[in-house]
Amino acid sequence: MAAPSNRPETRVERKERTRRAILDAALTLCEDSSLVALSLRQVAKEVGIVPTAFYRHFESLQDLGLALVEESFVSLHAVLREVRRSDPTFEQNIDTSVETLLDHVERHHAHFLFITRERLAGPPAVRAAIKREIDLAERELATDLEWLVTSMGASPWSPDDWKALSNLFVRAMVSTVEAVLVAGGDTRAQQEVAERTRTQLRLVLVGALNWESRPAEPALRASEA
Amino acid sequence: MAAPSNRPETRVERKERTRRAILDAALTLCEDSSLVALSLRQVAKEVGIVPTAFYRHFESLQDLGLALVEESFVSLHAVLREVRRSDPTFEQNIDTSVETLLDHVERHHAHFLFITRERLAGPPAVRAAIKREIDLAERELATDLEWLVTSMGASPWSPDDWKALSNLFVRAMVSTVEAVLVAGGDTRAQQEVAERTRTQLRLVLVGALNWESRPAEPALRASEA
């Protein structure tokens, strides 16, 4: 994002460049630690600015964390929305969603390592922001799933059942992202995780498609016979 | 665990008491932070011992973290094994498993807050130890699920499918624990989480029971018609 060499960098460009450098430094420094273990002084040192200069860009480390959460999710929501609206079938939807998610995570590797770590271990405001983003994805998916499943002739479900289904999907995706990041650069392990996720989402869909046709969970009752 | 007042505390008892105090201090100090942000000095100060005395009990903070992982899981594996072996039906199994898990998490609240946080944000050895325990639960459950599902007349699945099913169950349980801990003392929210988990596990089981009877995922094919 450096200014073209044929003209001097403007003040706005320089400010944006420093802001970016602070965000990147925080991502790097957090890699084997956590935002709660980070000091503003460390970040400033890594960027090469005096600690007080940090405050021209962010109010606090927490504020910086919130900016990282935002950039991680803005593009993810957009690509997932795109996928869900383009594919008419479940099978293609599952394959494309898993692929798109993992591709996105690979391209924004440091961001997703950050999200995965801070989701449960970060400062309270950062944890809350990540929860809001995941809840948003769940609500959007619930609407889509309702449309897809009912368009296939399923009888109406209770709102709680739609939420449970959507939550199960999104949690499976969150677990997948975690497992892929834990696998590190091991592409074979990553592929196994992706394949497992596809099987799981299909299993859930088979459950969902057979859920409506059963008045009171006879599949479970059968086990008691 | 103080010694009875009618006799002086033995050396072994005193050592055990200090060890326990160190473990509890680490749990308390980690509550709004993480093991990676903790210093040995802080723990020693909280317990009221000199920092060097810490090493009579643990080699490092990481070693202390591993001890906390162990105590969290030993009893959990035992109670879950008990549940799975006692109930003959899926429906009862699901209800009892969810209830037992949440009861266990409530009784060992600080431990599970610790596990939930350190699972992805802790020191590498602690993360690896938690992963091993969760993987163990998955392998045990895969064996049980295979027995349960095939005893109901399902045709043989591939080993990968059993693993995917078991992984989906265990990840749903991990998400449930996280959601219950995030809900804090809000018992209504906790009950909603428990109810949602029960619905999800039933959905997955309906999927599993209908999986065998489908030669090549016709439920998914149907959506393409």
Side-chain angles (χ1 to χ4, degrees):
Chain A
M1 295 275 208
S5 56
N6 58 343
R7 62 170 177 80
E9 193 178 30
T10 67
R11 204 162 150 261
V12 171
E13 282 167 347
R14 192 169 57 243
K15 185 164 181 189
E16 178 49 35
R17 189 162 52 82
T18 309
R19 186 175 188 276
R20 185 70 258 161
I22 294 172
L23 290 164
D24 290 338
L27 284 175
T28 307
L29 291 169
C30 274
E31 202 126 312
D32 273 310
S33 175
S34 162
L35 201 58
V36 293
L38 205 63
S39 77
L40 195 149
R41 191 167 293 274
Q42 274 177 284
V43 177
K45 194 181 164 195
E46 177 83 8
V47 178
I49 55 174
V50 292
T52 51
F54 177 94
Y55 295 107
R56 272 178 231 144
H57 304 273
F58 299 101
E59 278 176 32
S60 60
L61 279 177
Q62 181 177 290
D63 188 29
L64 186 164
L66 293 175
L68 289 171
V69 172
E70 201 187 328
E71 29 178 60
S72 305
F73 278 98
V74 165
S75 54
L76 179 62
H77 287 313
V79 293
L80 287 180
R81 239 169 256 158
E82 191 66 28
V83 169
R84 294 201 312 271
R85 268 153 213 181
S86 62
D87 275 316
T89 69
F90 275 143
E91 196 162 24
Q92 285 170 20
N93 242 312
I94 286 178
D95 289 353
T96 319
S97 297
V98 172
E99 203 177 306
T100 306
L101 178 68
L102 296 188
D103 184 60
H104 192 82
V105 169
E106 195 185 327
R107 275 186 295 121
H108 302 271
H109 188 256
H111 279 86
F112 281 86
L113 267 180
F114 174 83
I115 295 295
T116 296
R117 243 178 0 243
E118 307 300 322
R119 180 169 73 87
L120 296 157
V126 172
R127 293 204 301 259
I130 297 172
K131 186 174 182 307
R132 265 198 307 278
E133 297 291 349
I134 294 177
D135 288 351
L136 171 64
E138 261 180 55
R139 279 198 304 278
E140 291 195 351
L141 185 62
T143 311
D144 289 359
L145 284 172
E146 184 166 357
W147 187 86
L148 273 167
V149 176
T150 50
S151 75
M152 291 180 64
S155 54
W157 288 18
S158 72
D160 281 351
D161 280 3
W162 289 119
K163 276 189 223 158
L165 178 63
S166 171
N167 176 270
L168 184 57
F169 260 91
V170 170
R171 296 294 149 180
M173 290 296 209
V174 169
S175 296
T176 299
V177 171
E178 290 172 3
V180 161
L181 292 173
V182 166
D186 184 344
T187 45
R188 195 199 157 99
Q190 288 185 355
Q191 279 165 5
E192 278 174 16
V193 170
E195 189 48 43
R196 188 178 67 196
T197 303
R198 282 189 284 268
T199 303
Q200 290 172 338
L201 298 185
R202 281 174 197 179
L203 247 164
V204 173
L205 277 175
V206 170
L209 293 173
N210 285 283
W211 188 254
E212 47 91 23
S213 61
R214 297 165 182 280
E217 296 144 17
L220 302 168
R221 290 284 148 73
S223 70
E224 295 171 63
Chain B
M1 294 283 206
S5 55
N6 56 342
R7 64 170 176 79
E9 192 177 30
T10 67
R11 204 161 150 261
V12 171
E13 282 167 346
R14 194 170 56 244
K15 186 166 181 190
E16 178 49 36
R17 188 163 53 83
T18 308
R19 186 175 188 276
R20 186 70 257 160
I22 293 173
L23 289 164
D24 290 338
L27 284 175
T28 306
L29 291 169
C30 275
E31 202 127 313
D32 273 310
S33 176
S34 162
L35 201 58
V36 293
L38 205 63
S39 76
L40 195 149
R41 190 166 293 275
Q42 274 177 285
V43 177
K45 194 180 165 197
E46 177 84 8
V47 178
I49 55 175
V50 293
T52 51
F54 176 94
Y55 295 106
R56 275 177 229 144
H57 304 274
F58 299 101
E59 277 177 33
S60 60
L61 279 177
Q62 181 176 291
D63 188 27
L64 186 163
L66 294 175
L68 289 171
V69 173
E70 202 187 328
E71 22 178 68
S72 305
F73 278 98
V74 165
S75 54
L76 178 63
H77 286 312
V79 294
L80 287 181
R81 241 169 255 159
E82 192 66 29
V83 169
R84 295 202 310 272
R85 269 151 213 184
S86 63
D87 275 316
T89 70
F90 275 145
E91 196 162 23
Q92 285 170 20
N93 241 314
I94 286 178
D95 288 354
T96 320
S97 297
V98 172
E99 202 176 304
T100 306
L101 178 68
L102 296 188
D103 183 59
H104 191 82
V105 169
E106 196 186 329
R107 275 186 294 120
H108 303 271
H109 188 257
H111 279 86
F112 281 86
L113 267 180
F114 174 83
I115 294 295
T116 295
R117 241 177 2 243
E118 306 299 323
R119 180 168 72 88
L120 295 157
V126 172
R127 292 203 301 259
I130 297 172
K131 186 175 183 305
R132 265 198 306 278
E133 298 290 350
I134 294 177
D135 287 351
L136 172 63
E138 260 180 58
R139 279 198 304 278
E140 291 195 352
L141 185 62
T143 312
D144 289 358
L145 285 172
E146 185 166 357
W147 187 86
L148 273 166
V149 175
T150 49
S151 75
M152 290 180 63
S155 55
W157 288 19
S158 73
D160 281 351
D161 279 5
W162 288 119
K163 276 189 224 158
L165 177 62
S166 172
N167 176 271
L168 185 57
F169 260 91
V170 170
R171 296 293 148 179
M173 291 297 209
V174 169
S175 295
T176 299
V177 171
E178 289 172 4
V180 160
L181 292 173
V182 167
D186 185 342
T187 46
R188 195 198 159 99
Q190 288 186 354
Q191 279 165 4
E192 277 174 16
V193 170
E195 189 48 42
R196 188 177 67 195
T197 303
R198 281 190 283 268
T199 302
Q200 291 172 337
L201 298 185
R202 282 174 197 181
L203 247 165
V204 173
L205 277 175
V206 171
L209 293 173
N210 286 282
W211 188 254
E212 47 90 23
S213 62
R214 298 166 181 278
E217 296 144 15
L220 302 168
R221 291 282 148 74
S223 70
E224 294 172 64

